[in-house]
Amino acid sequence: MAKRFSALLQFALVLALGYAIQMAMDAGMINRYYAHVMTVMAIFVVGAVSLNLINGICGQFSLGHAGFMAVGAYTAAIITKNPDLILPAIFTGNVRFILATLLGGMTAAFVGFLVGLPSLRLRGDYLAIVTLGFGEIIRILLLNWDFVGGASGYFGLVRHTNFFAAFLLSIITITIIRNFIQSSHGRACVSIREDEIAAETMGVPTTRYKVIAFVIASFFAGTAGSMMAHLTQMVTPASFTFILSIELLLMVVLGGLGSITGSIGAAIFLTYAAEALRAFRAYRMILYSLLLILIMLFRPKGLLGTQELSYGLLKESFKSLRTRWQRKKNDDITAAAE
Amino acid sequence: MTITQQILQQLINGISLGSVYALMALGYTMVYGIIKLINFAHGEVFMIGAFIGFFSITKLGMDFFPAMFTAMIFCAILGILMERLAYKPLRNAHRVAALMTAVGLSMLFQNLALAHSWIGASAKGFPQVFPLQRFQLMENVNISSDRILTLAIAIFLMIALQFIVHKTIMGKAMRAVSLDKDAARLMGINVDKTISFTFALGSSLAAAAGVLFALNYGIVVYQMGLLPGLKAFVAAVLGGIGIIPGAMVGGLLLGVTESAVSAAGGSMFRDAVAFAALIIMLLVKPTGLFGKNVREKV
């Protein structure tokens, strides 16, 4: 009971922090450009953490996360822009936006189920190709769908997303995915990553767990897409390309495959880096792909590996540093004595 | 135009397009057969091959065949370098690490091409090296000289590949390594050299496919490797990944299906057909048309 209370307290404190930042933004203490960048960071945290569930925790390889964001973004945009389509007109304003975001996520989850089931049944790398192809198909379909504006995109959305909304979504995503990982279902997913054959032999229904993880990740990708759409007030097929999938992948890899805190840190860092390197835009993707290759060659598990960045880890590494230093000092003393 | 004529015409178009897919699919399938890796950068090798051919013709004034040969040699070397520098260190790492490296390489090549002052973002017209002629086979059924040439070169390369794989020592080594790497090493086969050779072979076929694709469609652009690359992979899966004749049949099958769909009025969905085919194949027979069910031993 005390544990649950302390968790709730933590949750409330974090939300209060987010709300305080939002207040500071509204009061003009944080300039609008930084407010925008911080909101984008929060959205990318959702994207990266959910992708980590597939690529890091389950050991599968999805290349179509941007496609699921696109599904969520377009679904939500259609709902908020047409007051009596899909949802009854009694829902308006932010309530409609929240419901639209949820529905966007659910549509993405459903599509994720359809895409994931045939490819996750098999061992091997089919998921990578199928998701890559899926991203392309979504883009082609959207380009040819006149109802949502085709190639020029879907314009004139109301700006529902503010920092607090994106922040809240990222906190919810992190909480749910962290709890999932620490549950028995999450352990099953980790066992699939470590050795799929062994997991199957021990009676883990591998396909089912892979699909569950994939659907959860697709859901959050969809909600992130909706947030993004209502932040930039438009969606175009060009907003969710393969390049976005690669950026998300790099966030996961940079932070460590399987490390939630790593993904959060990397999402924040890379969003910031993308803004800071705006002048070198043409070379950004070259840098990203080189970074991806080099990390894989020298640290195949990502920078943090599966470890979580926490107070305990810092203390641990500090302690090990100190013992090493102590030992070295002792060695020096004995060497000097001899 | 009667239905029969239309079917025949689309069959011709499809076979010539399919032969290009087949050439590329061979590279995917050989690499997968030997190190169980989807080489995502294969599509970019195709693009680079097309550009080398393009520049050999436009900047160096070469004829078509020497240009294609140059592209093949260049890409063979590129393939070897790629394997040595990027894939070899990861041969015993987790599967996903090697895959991500492959994706990284693919993005790297694409963006280097984009940033290069000779290539850039705009599509360039591939010169009409041979005067375009149309041969009428029947009423309303035509075949152009480029299509005939494409088909002839593709068939020639496939026969050459079959010869290399089945009649030479290196081919024997390739087959041995793809069957069992450790046993092959014990038999005195140089596994590293064999894998490099496989990459060289696959990459040179991709380069030839790139030049032929550019000749047929008349353009070269930095993104041209993406969709053909994906489709060639689908072709490899259709035929059964790791099986060389499977890749040829899969490529032709995909080419014909695609032409049929675009002729039936679904040209907008042409690119989606390949993925629909892939998903259906994965549901029905994941091992591919020619694949056998292999038990996994632990």
PDB file of all heavy atoms in Angstrom, chain B residues 17 76 204 271 297:
ATOM      1  N   LEU B  17      10.513  -6.475 -67.168  1.00  0.00           N
ATOM      2  CA  LEU B  17      10.666  -5.829 -65.860  1.00  0.00           C
ATOM      3  C   LEU B  17      11.081  -6.859 -64.815  1.00  0.00           C
ATOM      4  O   LEU B  17      11.956  -6.616 -63.982  1.00  0.00           O
ATOM      5  CB  LEU B  17       9.340  -5.179 -65.459  1.00  0.00           C
ATOM      6  CG  LEU B  17       9.264  -4.514 -64.088  1.00  0.00           C
ATOM      7  CD1 LEU B  17      10.179  -3.307 -64.050  1.00  0.00           C
ATOM      8  CD2 LEU B  17       7.841  -4.101 -63.764  1.00  0.00           C
ATOM      9  N   ALA B  76      31.132  -4.584 -57.499  1.00  0.00           N
ATOM     10  CA  ALA B  76      31.691  -5.790 -56.895  1.00  0.00           C
ATOM     11  C   ALA B  76      32.673  -5.393 -55.795  1.00  0.00           C
ATOM     12  O   ALA B  76      32.653  -5.937 -54.685  1.00  0.00           O
ATOM     13  CB  ALA B  76      32.381  -6.638 -57.956  1.00  0.00           C
ATOM     14  N   SER B 204      27.572  -7.150 -58.219  1.00  0.00           N
ATOM     15  CA  SER B 204      27.750  -6.864 -59.641  1.00  0.00           C
ATOM     16  C   SER B 204      26.458  -7.139 -60.403  1.00  0.00           C
ATOM     17  O   SER B 204      26.119  -6.424 -61.348  1.00  0.00           O
ATOM     18  CB  SER B 204      28.920  -7.656 -60.214  1.00  0.00           C
ATOM     19  OG  SER B 204      28.662  -9.024 -60.117  1.00  0.00           O
ATOM     20  N   ASP B 271       2.695  -0.349 -56.702  1.00  0.00           N
ATOM     21  CA  ASP B 271       3.753  -0.570 -55.722  1.00  0.00           C
ATOM     22  C   ASP B 271       3.264  -1.337 -54.503  1.00  0.00           C
ATOM     23  O   ASP B 271       4.052  -1.919 -53.767  1.00  0.00           O
ATOM     24  CB  ASP B 271       4.338   0.765 -55.275  1.00  0.00           C
ATOM     25  CG  ASP B 271       5.002   1.477 -56.435  1.00  0.00           C
ATOM     26  OD1 ASP B 271       5.549   0.772 -57.295  1.00  0.00           O
ATOM     27  OD2 ASP B 271       4.952   2.715 -56.485  1.00  0.00           O
ATOM     28  N   LYS B 297      17.775 -26.909 -35.738  1.00  0.00           N
ATOM     29  CA  LYS B 297      18.414 -27.691 -34.675  1.00  0.00           C
ATOM     30  C   LYS B 297      19.049 -26.754 -33.667  1.00  0.00           C
ATOM     31  O   LYS B 297      19.528 -25.684 -34.032  1.00  0.00           O
ATOM     32  CB  LYS B 297      19.476 -28.613 -35.287  1.00  0.00           C
ATOM     33  CG  LYS B 297      18.865 -29.879 -35.852  1.00  0.00           C
ATOM     34  CD  LYS B 297      19.916 -30.730 -36.517  1.00  0.00           C
ATOM     35  CE  LYS B 297      19.731 -30.684 -38.014  1.00  0.00           C
ATOM     36  NZ  LYS B 297      20.819 -31.180 -38.790  1.00  0.00           N
TER      37      LYS B 297
END
